[in-house]
Amino acid sequence: MLKIGAWFEGLRQRTNAPTAYALGKLVRPETYTARIDKNPPQHHNLWAKYAAGLHAPGLATIKLTSALVPGSEHMLLATFWDAFDVSQPVGLRGDTLLRGLRPGVVQAIYEPAPLDVGRYVRRRAAKLPLMRLEGQADLQSLAAAVVLLREAYEAQDRQRAFDVAHSVHSLLLMTCAGMGEMSIDEELLGFFVMKIFPLAATEEIYFDSSLGELVVKMKMLRAIHSSLKRVGTLNDKPASTKQLRKVLDNHYGFDFGFALAPNLRLVNQPDQTSEAARHRVGFRRASQKWALDVLLSGRREKIPSDHALDLMAAEEALT
């Protein structure tokens, strides 16, 4: 559904077609007939199904759309979609999935020297590949991080999966925020809520994501990005999200970073949970509440005041 929807939205964006009906009529005008006497107009509704990702286009349709919008078929043929398919385990296919991604993503995952002679050796530093992926957020970088998350989950390394999921969350927000209005941003967010983030849980903490919450954060990141670019704070290079990543990493203010962080919840009741886990979840909840109150009021508070810190400590103690 995501793959077909992305293909459809890419076509709609590049042809400026406002609706599925308009796009279908542009691509296959012979299948749309006007009203003749009392006979109703005729057309099929396949394009509405393409828009919803409910029907895959046939070869004839793909050829027509590729002629109209050269390169549009690449979205349907891209192998990175396989990384999101949780219906079967990654198993030993992790490197195969990763090696099929674009060069910048491959270079983020693998050591550079062996790559020069055609050997694929994973970087040993746990965080560096994720940081490099976050600096070039798109669907392929997101796919790579999902492979790393799924590998950790299948290896029963719950802490590693939980840690990788924080990068997945950042990559997801940046990727969707950069998609624009005609995109599958909300469908992608919903898919991650249902299929990906449930893989990210330790014995004590889990990601408590919802579609509504992620949509709000995506729109907030999009607005923050536009605002910082307007005042000259951000000047992203093409295909680079290094500066946008700093928004999520508190570089431009704790109000931004705290508000956009993933929601966390305790697996068990507080009295059955370690103090460290209670502290982490309590601080996340309190800091998010403070940050959202600040931003939704139209203010900026890059560093919490002493009064705000006292309120956050009181809120944290309630966990």
Side-chain angles (χ1 to χ4, degrees), residues 213-242:
E213 163 246 328
L214 286 177
V215 169
V216 169
K217 288 178 179 176
M218 174 195 68
K219 292 181 177 178
M220 188 176 292
L221 180 59
R222 193 176 283 166
I224 290 169
H225 189 206
S226 296
S227 175
L228 291 177
K229 287 185 73 173
R230 189 165 54 249
V231 299
T233 303
L234 289 184
N235 184 22
D236 284 341
K237 298 178 181 178
S240 172
T241 52
K242 290 181 180 179

PDB file of all heavy atoms in Angstrom, residues 213-242:
ATOM      1  N   GLU A 213      -0.482  11.763  17.496  1.00  0.00           N
ATOM      2  CA  GLU A 213       0.693  12.400  18.122  1.00  0.00           C
ATOM      3  C   GLU A 213       1.814  12.599  17.116  1.00  0.00           C
ATOM      4  O   GLU A 213       2.450  13.663  17.059  1.00  0.00           O
ATOM      5  CB  GLU A 213       1.154  11.523  19.292  1.00  0.00           C
ATOM      6  CG  GLU A 213       2.553  11.796  19.805  1.00  0.00           C
ATOM      7  CD  GLU A 213       3.507  10.634  19.562  1.00  0.00           C
ATOM      8  OE1 GLU A 213       3.033   9.469  19.588  1.00  0.00           O
ATOM      9  OE2 GLU A 213       4.700  10.901  19.357  1.00  0.00           O
ATOM     10  N   LEU A 214       2.069  11.602  16.276  1.00  0.00           N
ATOM     11  CA  LEU A 214       3.144  11.718  15.291  1.00  0.00           C
ATOM     12  C   LEU A 214       2.811  12.743  14.208  1.00  0.00           C
ATOM     13  O   LEU A 214       3.701  13.447  13.729  1.00  0.00           O
ATOM     14  CB  LEU A 214       3.430  10.359  14.658  1.00  0.00           C
ATOM     15  CG  LEU A 214       4.176   9.350  15.537  1.00  0.00           C
ATOM     16  CD1 LEU A 214       4.324   8.022  14.814  1.00  0.00           C
ATOM     17  CD2 LEU A 214       5.545   9.876  15.949  1.00  0.00           C
ATOM     18  N   VAL A 215       1.554  12.830  13.825  1.00  0.00           N
ATOM     19  CA  VAL A 215       1.159  13.838  12.835  1.00  0.00           C
ATOM     20  C   VAL A 215       1.411  15.234  13.383  1.00  0.00           C
ATOM     21  O   VAL A 215       1.925  16.118  12.689  1.00  0.00           O
ATOM     22  CB  VAL A 215      -0.322  13.665  12.436  1.00  0.00           C
ATOM     23  CG1 VAL A 215      -0.812  14.870  11.632  1.00  0.00           C
ATOM     24  CG2 VAL A 215      -0.505  12.392  11.621  1.00  0.00           C
ATOM     25  N   VAL A 216       1.060  15.455  14.643  1.00  0.00           N
ATOM     26  CA  VAL A 216       1.299  16.760  15.269  1.00  0.00           C
ATOM     27  C   VAL A 216       2.786  17.074  15.280  1.00  0.00           C
ATOM     28  O   VAL A 216       3.205  18.193  14.951  1.00  0.00           O
ATOM     29  CB  VAL A 216       0.728  16.789  16.701  1.00  0.00           C
ATOM     30  CG1 VAL A 216       1.212  18.029  17.444  1.00  0.00           C
ATOM     31  CG2 VAL A 216      -0.793  16.775  16.665  1.00  0.00           C
ATOM     32  N   LYS A 217       3.612  16.102  15.649  1.00  0.00           N
ATOM     33  CA  LYS A 217       5.052  16.330  15.701  1.00  0.00           C
ATOM     34  C   LYS A 217       5.634  16.579  14.316  1.00  0.00           C
ATOM     35  O   LYS A 217       6.520  17.416  14.147  1.00  0.00           O
ATOM     36  CB  LYS A 217       5.740  15.139  16.375  1.00  0.00           C
ATOM     37  CG  LYS A 217       5.490  15.078  17.874  1.00  0.00           C
ATOM     38  CD  LYS A 217       6.136  13.864  18.515  1.00  0.00           C
ATOM     39  CE  LYS A 217       5.881  13.872  20.026  1.00  0.00           C
ATOM     40  NZ  LYS A 217       6.400  12.664  20.672  1.00  0.00           N
ATOM     41  N   MET A 218       5.149  15.834  13.320  1.00  0.00           N
ATOM     42  CA  MET A 218       5.629  16.049  11.958  1.00  0.00           C
ATOM     43  C   MET A 218       5.317  17.468  11.495  1.00  0.00           C
ATOM     44  O   MET A 218       6.178  18.160  10.930  1.00  0.00           O
ATOM     45  CB  MET A 218       4.972  15.046  11.006  1.00  0.00           C
ATOM     46  CG  MET A 218       5.297  15.286   9.538  1.00  0.00           C
ATOM     47  SD  MET A 218       4.193  14.399   8.425  1.00  0.00           S
ATOM     48  CE  MET A 218       2.630  15.266   8.709  1.00  0.00           C
ATOM     49  N   LYS A 219       4.078  17.914  11.716  1.00  0.00           N
ATOM     50  CA  LYS A 219       3.691  19.258  11.302  1.00  0.00           C
ATOM     51  C   LYS A 219       4.457  20.314  12.092  1.00  0.00           C
ATOM     52  O   LYS A 219       4.814  21.371  11.556  1.00  0.00           O
ATOM     53  CB  LYS A 219       2.183  19.432  11.458  1.00  0.00           C
ATOM     54  CG  LYS A 219       1.376  18.593  10.483  1.00  0.00           C
ATOM     55  CD  LYS A 219      -0.117  18.807  10.643  1.00  0.00           C
ATOM     56  CE  LYS A 219      -0.899  18.017   9.599  1.00  0.00           C
ATOM     57  NZ  LYS A 219      -2.366  18.182   9.759  1.00  0.00           N
ATOM     58  N   MET A 220       4.725  20.023  13.349  1.00  0.00           N
ATOM     59  CA  MET A 220       5.501  20.953  14.167  1.00  0.00           C
ATOM     60  C   MET A 220       6.935  21.062  13.649  1.00  0.00           C
ATOM     61  O   MET A 220       7.477  22.166  13.538  1.00  0.00           O
ATOM     62  CB  MET A 220       5.497  20.472  15.630  1.00  0.00           C
ATOM     63  CG  MET A 220       6.098  21.449  16.610  1.00  0.00           C
ATOM     64  SD  MET A 220       5.948  20.845  18.332  1.00  0.00           S
ATOM     65  CE  MET A 220       4.175  20.958  18.559  1.00  0.00           C
ATOM     66  N   LEU A 221       7.531  19.923  13.304  1.00  0.00           N
ATOM     67  CA  LEU A 221       8.897  19.951  12.767  1.00  0.00           C
ATOM     68  C   LEU A 221       8.929  20.692  11.437  1.00  0.00           C
ATOM     69  O   LEU A 221       9.855  21.464  11.173  1.00  0.00           O
ATOM     70  CB  LEU A 221       9.416  18.525  12.593  1.00  0.00           C
ATOM     71  CG  LEU A 221      10.835  18.394  12.036  1.00  0.00           C
ATOM     72  CD1 LEU A 221      11.852  19.093  12.928  1.00  0.00           C
ATOM     73  CD2 LEU A 221      11.212  16.921  11.863  1.00  0.00           C
ATOM     74  N   ARG A 222       7.925  20.480  10.617  1.00  0.00           N
ATOM     75  CA  ARG A 222       7.838  21.177   9.328  1.00  0.00           C
ATOM     76  C   ARG A 222       7.756  22.686   9.537  1.00  0.00           C
ATOM     77  O   ARG A 222       8.421  23.462   8.851  1.00  0.00           O
ATOM     78  CB  ARG A 222       6.605  20.665   8.571  1.00  0.00           C
ATOM     79  CG  ARG A 222       6.549  21.059   7.115  1.00  0.00           C
ATOM     80  CD  ARG A 222       5.321  20.413   6.458  1.00  0.00           C
ATOM     81  NE  ARG A 222       5.535  19.003   6.190  1.00  0.00           N
ATOM     82  CZ  ARG A 222       4.562  18.148   5.879  1.00  0.00           C
ATOM     83  NH1 ARG A 222       3.306  18.545   5.822  1.00  0.00           N
ATOM     84  NH2 ARG A 222       4.847  16.883   5.619  1.00  0.00           N
ATOM     85  N   ALA A 223       6.939  23.112  10.513  1.00  0.00           N
ATOM     86  CA  ALA A 223       6.784  24.540  10.798  1.00  0.00           C
ATOM     87  C   ALA A 223       8.066  25.124  11.396  1.00  0.00           C
ATOM     88  O   ALA A 223       8.478  26.240  11.051  1.00  0.00           O
ATOM     89  CB  ALA A 223       5.613  24.750  11.756  1.00  0.00           C
ATOM     90  N   ILE A 224       8.717  24.362  12.288  1.00  0.00           N
ATOM     91  CA  ILE A 224       9.972  24.813  12.888  1.00  0.00           C
ATOM     92  C   ILE A 224      11.036  24.986  11.820  1.00  0.00           C
ATOM     93  O   ILE A 224      11.775  25.979  11.792  1.00  0.00           O
ATOM     94  CB  ILE A 224      10.441  23.819  13.974  1.00  0.00           C
ATOM     95  CG1 ILE A 224       9.519  23.883  15.199  1.00  0.00           C
ATOM     96  CG2 ILE A 224      11.884  24.106  14.387  1.00  0.00           C
ATOM     97  CD1 ILE A 224       9.767  22.757  16.194  1.00  0.00           C
ATOM     98  N   HIS A 225      11.110  24.017  10.920  1.00  0.00           N
ATOM     99  CA  HIS A 225      12.092  24.068   9.839  1.00  0.00           C
ATOM    100  C   HIS A 225      11.877  25.312   8.981  1.00  0.00           C
ATOM    101  O   HIS A 225      12.823  26.051   8.673  1.00  0.00           O
ATOM    102  CB  HIS A 225      11.978  22.798   8.995  1.00  0.00           C
ATOM    103  CG  HIS A 225      13.068  22.639   8.000  1.00  0.00           C
ATOM    104  ND1 HIS A 225      12.931  21.925   6.839  1.00  0.00           N
ATOM    105  CD2 HIS A 225      14.350  23.120   7.981  1.00  0.00           C
ATOM    106  CE1 HIS A 225      14.058  21.955   6.159  1.00  0.00           C
ATOM    107  NE2 HIS A 225      14.938  22.677   6.822  1.00  0.00           N
ATOM    108  N   SER A 226      10.634  25.562   8.600  1.00  0.00           N
ATOM    109  CA  SER A 226      10.327  26.736   7.768  1.00  0.00           C
ATOM    110  C   SER A 226      10.664  28.025   8.497  1.00  0.00           C
ATOM    111  O   SER A 226      11.213  28.968   7.912  1.00  0.00           O
ATOM    112  CB  SER A 226       8.840  26.730   7.386  1.00  0.00           C
ATOM    113  OG  SER A 226       8.537  25.612   6.588  1.00  0.00           O
ATOM    114  N   SER A 227      10.348  28.064   9.796  1.00  0.00           N
ATOM    115  CA  SER A 227      10.607  29.269  10.584  1.00  0.00           C
ATOM    116  C   SER A 227      12.097  29.543  10.704  1.00  0.00           C
ATOM    117  O   SER A 227      12.548  30.690  10.531  1.00  0.00           O
ATOM    118  CB  SER A 227       9.987  29.107  11.976  1.00  0.00           C
ATOM    119  OG  SER A 227      10.305  30.197  12.800  1.00  0.00           O
ATOM    120  N   LEU A 228      12.893  28.511  10.977  1.00  0.00           N
ATOM    121  CA  LEU A 228      14.337  28.699  11.130  1.00  0.00           C
ATOM    122  C   LEU A 228      15.004  29.054   9.800  1.00  0.00           C
ATOM    123  O   LEU A 228      15.970  29.810   9.766  1.00  0.00           O
ATOM    124  CB  LEU A 228      14.971  27.435  11.723  1.00  0.00           C
ATOM    125  CG  LEU A 228      14.606  27.124  13.185  1.00  0.00           C
ATOM    126  CD1 LEU A 228      15.248  25.810  13.627  1.00  0.00           C
ATOM    127  CD2 LEU A 228      15.051  28.251  14.112  1.00  0.00           C
ATOM    128  N   LYS A 229      14.475  28.521   8.695  1.00  0.00           N
ATOM    129  CA  LYS A 229      15.015  28.889   7.388  1.00  0.00           C
ATOM    130  C   LYS A 229      14.666  30.338   7.051  1.00  0.00           C
ATOM    131  O   LYS A 229      15.474  31.060   6.465  1.00  0.00           O
ATOM    132  CB  LYS A 229      14.460  27.957   6.313  1.00  0.00           C
ATOM    133  CG  LYS A 229      15.039  26.551   6.347  1.00  0.00           C
ATOM    134  CD  LYS A 229      14.554  25.697   5.199  1.00  0.00           C
ATOM    135  CE  LYS A 229      15.203  26.111   3.901  1.00  0.00           C
ATOM    136  NZ  LYS A 229      14.874  25.188   2.785  1.00  0.00           N
ATOM    137  N   ARG A 230      13.478  30.754   7.454  1.00  0.00           N
ATOM    138  CA  ARG A 230      13.037  32.117   7.141  1.00  0.00           C
ATOM    139  C   ARG A 230      13.902  33.157   7.830  1.00  0.00           C
ATOM    140  O   ARG A 230      14.184  34.214   7.268  1.00  0.00           O
ATOM    141  CB  ARG A 230      11.568  32.275   7.553  1.00  0.00           C
ATOM    142  CG  ARG A 230      10.920  33.562   7.081  1.00  0.00           C
ATOM    143  CD  ARG A 230       9.407  33.507   7.198  1.00  0.00           C
ATOM    144  NE  ARG A 230       8.961  33.158   8.530  1.00  0.00           N
ATOM    145  CZ  ARG A 230       8.366  32.008   8.835  1.00  0.00           C
ATOM    146  NH1 ARG A 230       8.176  31.082   7.898  1.00  0.00           N
ATOM    147  NH2 ARG A 230       7.972  31.758  10.067  1.00  0.00           N
ATOM    148  N   VAL A 231      14.331  32.872   9.057  1.00  0.00           N
ATOM    149  CA  VAL A 231      15.153  33.843   9.782  1.00  0.00           C
ATOM    150  C   VAL A 231      16.647  33.628   9.530  1.00  0.00           C
ATOM    151  O   VAL A 231      17.480  34.322  10.110  1.00  0.00           O
ATOM    152  CB  VAL A 231      14.865  33.788  11.301  1.00  0.00           C
ATOM    153  CG1 VAL A 231      13.418  34.135  11.575  1.00  0.00           C
ATOM    154  CG2 VAL A 231      15.224  32.426  11.897  1.00  0.00           C
ATOM    155  N   GLY A 232      16.977  32.651   8.678  1.00  0.00           N
ATOM    156  CA  GLY A 232      18.369  32.451   8.308  1.00  0.00           C
ATOM    157  C   GLY A 232      19.158  31.556   9.234  1.00  0.00           C
ATOM    158  O   GLY A 232      20.368  31.399   9.058  1.00  0.00           O
ATOM    159  N   THR A 233      18.504  30.927  10.215  1.00  0.00           N
ATOM    160  CA  THR A 233      19.215  30.034  11.129  1.00  0.00           C
ATOM    161  C   THR A 233      19.617  28.744  10.434  1.00  0.00           C
ATOM    162  O   THR A 233      20.710  28.217  10.644  1.00  0.00           O
ATOM    163  CB  THR A 233      18.338  29.711  12.350  1.00  0.00           C
ATOM    164  OG1 THR A 233      17.956  30.931  12.987  1.00  0.00           O
ATOM    165  CG2 THR A 233      19.092  28.840  13.350  1.00  0.00           C
ATOM    166  N   LEU A 234      18.714  28.224   9.598  1.00  0.00           N
ATOM    167  CA  LEU A 234      18.990  27.008   8.854  1.00  0.00           C
ATOM    168  C   LEU A 234      19.202  27.325   7.382  1.00  0.00           C
ATOM    169  O   LEU A 234      18.505  28.153   6.811  1.00  0.00           O
ATOM    170  CB  LEU A 234      17.824  26.021   8.977  1.00  0.00           C
ATOM    171  CG  LEU A 234      17.607  25.337  10.324  1.00  0.00           C
ATOM    172  CD1 LEU A 234      16.480  24.332  10.211  1.00  0.00           C
ATOM    173  CD2 LEU A 234      18.861  24.647  10.818  1.00  0.00           C
ATOM    174  N   ASN A 235      20.141  26.641   6.801  1.00  0.00           N
ATOM    175  CA  ASN A 235      20.377  26.762   5.361  1.00  0.00           C
ATOM    176  C   ASN A 235      20.847  25.406   4.853  1.00  0.00           C
ATOM    177  O   ASN A 235      22.009  25.195   4.528  1.00  0.00           O
ATOM    178  CB  ASN A 235      21.423  27.833   5.068  1.00  0.00           C
ATOM    179  CG  ASN A 235      21.612  28.051   3.574  1.00  0.00           C
ATOM    180  OD1 ASN A 235      20.746  27.735   2.775  1.00  0.00           O
ATOM    181  ND2 ASN A 235      22.773  28.573   3.201  1.00  0.00           N
ATOM    182  N   ASP A 236      19.933  24.442   4.861  1.00  0.00           N
ATOM    183  CA  ASP A 236      20.279  23.065   4.530  1.00  0.00           C
ATOM    184  C   ASP A 236      20.826  22.935   3.116  1.00  0.00           C
ATOM    185  O   ASP A 236      20.326  23.542   2.180  1.00  0.00           O
ATOM    186  CB  ASP A 236      19.048  22.155   4.640  1.00  0.00           C
ATOM    187  CG  ASP A 236      18.704  21.843   6.091  1.00  0.00           C
ATOM    188  OD1 ASP A 236      19.582  22.017   6.944  1.00  0.00           O
ATOM    189  OD2 ASP A 236      17.565  21.408   6.339  1.00  0.00           O
ATOM    190  N   LYS A 237      21.860  22.124   2.995  1.00  0.00           N
ATOM    191  CA  LYS A 237      22.334  21.748   1.672  1.00  0.00           C
ATOM    192  C   LYS A 237      21.344  20.740   1.078  1.00  0.00           C
ATOM    193  O   LYS A 237      20.642  20.049   1.800  1.00  0.00           O
ATOM    194  CB  LYS A 237      23.726  21.106   1.772  1.00  0.00           C
ATOM    195  CG  LYS A 237      24.798  22.022   2.328  1.00  0.00           C
ATOM    196  CD  LYS A 237      26.118  21.285   2.437  1.00  0.00           C
ATOM    197  CE  LYS A 237      27.203  22.191   3.018  1.00  0.00           C
ATOM    198  NZ  LYS A 237      28.493  21.461   3.172  1.00  0.00           N
ATOM    199  N   PRO A 238      21.280  20.661  -0.247  1.00  0.00           N
ATOM    200  CA  PRO A 238      20.397  19.673  -0.866  1.00  0.00           C
ATOM    201  C   PRO A 238      20.703  18.265  -0.361  1.00  0.00           C
ATOM    202  O   PRO A 238      21.865  17.870  -0.242  1.00  0.00           O
ATOM    203  CB  PRO A 238      20.711  19.807  -2.360  1.00  0.00           C
ATOM    204  CG  PRO A 238      21.221  21.200  -2.507  1.00  0.00           C
ATOM    205  CD  PRO A 238      21.983  21.490  -1.233  1.00  0.00           C
ATOM    206  N   ALA A 239      19.650  17.520  -0.052  1.00  0.00           N
ATOM    207  CA  ALA A 239      19.743  16.118   0.398  1.00  0.00           C
ATOM    208  C   ALA A 239      20.392  15.970   1.770  1.00  0.00           C
ATOM    209  O   ALA A 239      20.643  14.857   2.225  1.00  0.00           O
ATOM    210  CB  ALA A 239      20.500  15.264  -0.619  1.00  0.00           C
ATOM    211  N   SER A 240      20.664  17.066   2.467  1.00  0.00           N
ATOM    212  CA  SER A 240      21.258  16.983   3.801  1.00  0.00           C
ATOM    213  C   SER A 240      20.231  17.370   4.856  1.00  0.00           C
ATOM    214  O   SER A 240      19.501  18.348   4.704  1.00  0.00           O
ATOM    215  CB  SER A 240      22.469  17.914   3.916  1.00  0.00           C
ATOM    216  OG  SER A 240      22.920  17.961   5.263  1.00  0.00           O
ATOM    217  N   THR A 241      20.162  16.580   5.912  1.00  0.00           N
ATOM    218  CA  THR A 241      19.284  16.925   7.037  1.00  0.00           C
ATOM    219  C   THR A 241      20.100  17.059   8.323  1.00  0.00           C
ATOM    220  O   THR A 241      19.569  16.905   9.413  1.00  0.00           O
ATOM    221  CB  THR A 241      18.188  15.855   7.221  1.00  0.00           C
ATOM    222  OG1 THR A 241      18.799  14.561   7.300  1.00  0.00           O
ATOM    223  CG2 THR A 241      17.195  15.879   6.065  1.00  0.00           C
ATOM    224  N   LYS A 242      21.384  17.363   8.179  1.00  0.00           N
ATOM    225  CA  LYS A 242      22.237  17.494   9.363  1.00  0.00           C
ATOM    226  C   LYS A 242      21.762  18.619  10.269  1.00  0.00           C
ATOM    227  O   LYS A 242      21.742  18.485  11.499  1.00  0.00           O
ATOM    228  CB  LYS A 242      23.689  17.738   8.933  1.00  0.00           C
ATOM    229  CG  LYS A 242      24.354  16.533   8.296  1.00  0.00           C
ATOM    230  CD  LYS A 242      25.795  16.828   7.917  1.00  0.00           C
ATOM    231  CE  LYS A 242      26.447  15.623   7.280  1.00  0.00           C
ATOM    232  NZ  LYS A 242      27.857  15.902   6.878  1.00  0.00           N
TER     233      LYS A 242
END
